[in-house]
């Protein structure tokens, strides 16, 4: 028994020394890179996951050709999200336009160890009755159907970020930040192609429970102040998953900040995680990892990309 204890302590000591030595090599490697090289490397390694890196403000956003585009959207994604450590407030707006039912949805909250917001633009193949909204698979907008979107996201501490692009899924995610969805204020603006589409969206917004005090119309543009979530009564199981996931998210955020010491910048921390714990890095960028329709070859690409980060 005494011999086993000694062996265990020696193995623990060896592992501690090995990981300390390996972490030190990684820190030196990152410190030797110039800022431009770091940002380019981060952007390169997150592209296969459907994201790009904005080095000026230190956040990630989705690309136009992101693999998530193939997955579309269905209500079941939002229902399952808390079980995958995604806890957010959502505002789905359904409206009929040009023989199709469209869905423009806003999200803000916690996505694993990332805090951020999203605007998604989808439509069905035809007109969908209201009672079938939750069972319909919506397709992401095509290149010809993209809309000019922007949003300003502010936290309780006064920090704000603005992102703008013609897109089908506009996002901004900050790594290592923990928030409750109610702490975020999102001011989103969408420019529609014509007046009919804009009016249809406004009608859908009112049907979703928003009043004229919550949005503003300016020409073909509609600005939505998404600070409060539409009143929802979650079932006991969903309330449990939201609380439990937030508890885990808070712990993982602290672990992320601890593991990526002594760095402060997002690109340094992300590279540290990429080289030190490739498995954790893959999970870091899966903000919507419950989408199961990603091609197998893309999953393999993700794994190969992270294996290259090993020293």
């Amino acid at each position: 028994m005494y011999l086993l204890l000694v062996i265990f302590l020696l193995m623990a000591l060896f592992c501690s020394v090995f990981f300390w030595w390996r972490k030190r090599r990684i820190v030196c490697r990152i410190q030797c890179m110039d800022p431009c090289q770091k940002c380019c490397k981060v952007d390169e390694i997150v592209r296969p996951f459907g994201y790009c890196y904005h080095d000026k403000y230190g956040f990630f956003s989705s690309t136009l050709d992101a693999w998530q585009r193939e997955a579309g959207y269905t209500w079941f994604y939002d229902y399952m999200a808390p079980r995958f450590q995604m806890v957010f407030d959502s505002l789905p707006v359904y409206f009929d336009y040009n023989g199709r039912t469209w869905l423009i949805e806003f999200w803000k909250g916690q996505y694993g160890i990332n805090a951020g917001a999203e605007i998604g633009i989808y439509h069905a193949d035809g007109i969908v009755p209201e009672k079938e909204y939750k069972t319909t698979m919506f397709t992401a907008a095509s290149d010809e159907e993209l809309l000019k979107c922007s949003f300003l996201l502010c936290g309780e501490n006064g920090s704000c970020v603005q992102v703008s692009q013609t897109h089908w899924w506009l996002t901004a995610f900050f790594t290592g930040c923990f928030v409750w969805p109610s702490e975020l204020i999102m001011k989103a603006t969408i420019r529609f192609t014509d007046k009919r589409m804009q009016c249809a969206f406004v009608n859908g917004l009112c049907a979703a429970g928003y009043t004229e005090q919550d949005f503003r119309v300016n020409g073909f543009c509609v600005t939505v102040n998404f600070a409060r979530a539409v009143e929802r009564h979650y079932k006991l199981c969903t309330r449990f998953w939201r609380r439990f996931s937030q508890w885990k998210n808070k712990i993982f955020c602290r672990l992320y900040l601890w593991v990526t010491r002594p760095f402060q910048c997002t690109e340094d921390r992300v590279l540290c995680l990429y080289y030190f714990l490739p498995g954790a890095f893959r999970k870091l960028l899966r903000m919507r990892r419950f989408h199961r329709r990603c091609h197998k070859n893309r999953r393999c690409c993700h794994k190969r990309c992270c294996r290259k980060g090993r020293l």
Side-chain angles (χ1 to χ4, degrees):
M1 188 68 182
Y2 177 76
L3 181 61
L4 289 175
L5 180 60
V6 171
I7 293 174
F8 174 78
L9 291 175
L10 287 174
M11 289 179 63
L13 179 62
F14 172 79
C15 290
S16 299
V17 172
F18 172 76
F19 283 115
W20 173 84
W21 170 80
R22 186 164 177 264
K23 173 75 175 294
R24 186 177 178 183
R25 285 190 63 195
I26 291 170
V27 170
C28 292
R29 178 177 180 176
I30 295 172
Q31 288 175 339
C32 291
M33 299 169 68
D34 62 69
C36 183
Q37 190 179 5
K38 292 177 187 177
C39 294
C40 290
K41 183 62 178 178
V42 171
D43 196 66
E44 174 192 335
I45 62 180
V46 301
R47 285 278 173 177
F49 295 87
Y51 299 97
C52 60
Y53 180 61
H54 299 263
D55 57 282
K56 187 176 181 180
Y57 301 103
F59 68 86
F60 297 94
S61 64
S62 50
T63 58
L64 275 173
D65 60 347
W67 66 264
Q68 292 88 338
R69 194 173 190 175
E70 303 169 12
Y73 170 85
T74 181
W75 170 83
F76 189 66
Y77 292 163
D78 282 0
Y79 175 75
M80 291 298 294
R83 293 156 178 79
F84 292 88
Q85 292 175 243
M86 286 170 278
V87 181
F88 45 66
D89 288 340
S90 62
L91 173 60
V93 181
Y94 298 90
F95 60 97
D96 297 335
Y97 171 74
N98 269 6
R100 290 173 170 176
T101 296
W102 288 69
L103 166 63
I104 296 181
E105 185 158 0
F106 307 88
W107 298 269
K108 61 181 178 73
Q110 191 72 28
Y111 302 77
I113 65 170
N114 306 281
E118 315 168 72
I119 300 176
I121 302 171
Y122 308 91
H123 61 69
D125 294 331
I127 300 295
V128 178
E130 184 176 351
K131 63 181 180 181
E132 296 179 15
Y133 284 167
K134 290 186 176 182
T135 58
T136 301
M137 172 62 73
F138 289 84
T139 306
S142 65
D143 289 342
E144 296 75 24
E145 298 165 334
L146 303 180
L147 298 177
K148 179 70 175 178
C149 306
S150 67
F151 65 77
L152 178 69
L153 184 66
C154 299
E156 277 194 336
N157 59 359
S159 59
C160 295
V161 65
Q162 187 166 15
V163 58
S164 176
Q165 192 177 351
T166 300
H167 222 297
W168 63 274
W169 181 40
L170 186 66
T171 63
F173 299 108
F174 290 87
T175 303
C177 298
F178 177 82
V179 298
W180 287 94
S182 58
E183 296 173 0
L184 295 176
I185 298 175
M186 180 184 187
K187 188 175 182 180
T189 300
I190 301 176
R191 179 178 176 81
F192 295 94
T193 55
D194 55 49
K195 195 67 176 178
R196 285 197 306 115
M197 190 177 193
Q198 178 245 300
C199 290
F201 173 78
V202 168
N203 291 335
L205 198 58
C206 293
Y210 264 49
T211 64
E212 293 183 359
Q213 287 75 33
D214 298 313
F215 63 88
R216 179 169 52 85
V217 178
N218 182 15
F220 292 166
C221 297
V222 179
T223 300
V224 181
N225 293 314
F226 184 25
R228 63 175 182 86
V230 177
E231 190 67 27
R232 286 188 177 88
H233 298 287
Y234 295 110
K235 293 183 178 179
L236 179 62
C237 182
T238 302
R239 291 202 303 270
F240 163 77
W241 279 111
R242 286 174 68 90
R243 288 282 180 178
F244 180 60
S245 290
Q246 281 293 73
W247 174 74
K248 289 199 297 182
N249 289 337
K250 193 170 187 177
I251 291 175
F252 287 143
C253 277
R254 290 177 177 176
L255 282 174
Y256 166 77
L257 297 176
W258 180 77
V259 168
T260 57
R261 293 179 306 171
F263 298 115
Q264 299 297 324
C265 296
T266 300
E267 55 265 30
D268 292 335
R269 289 186 181 276
V270 170
L271 286 175
C272 182
L273 192 68
Y274 171 71
Y275 289 125
F276 191 54
L277 296 172
F281 171 79
R282 288 196 295 270
K283 293 183 179 180
L284 164 70
L285 271 299
R286 293 177 187 173
M287 286 83 160
R288 288 284 184 182
R289 61 185 179 275
F290 50 90
H291 288 179
R292 299 297 185 184
R293 298 174 67 179
C294 177
H295 291 310
K296 290 182 180 179
N297 60 340
R298 288 198 182 243
R299 288 201 298 267
C300 293
C301 177
H302 296 171
K303 291 179 181 179
R304 285 198 301 271
C305 177
C306 286
R307 288 196 190 106
K308 291 179 182 177
R310 296 180 184 274
L311 293 176

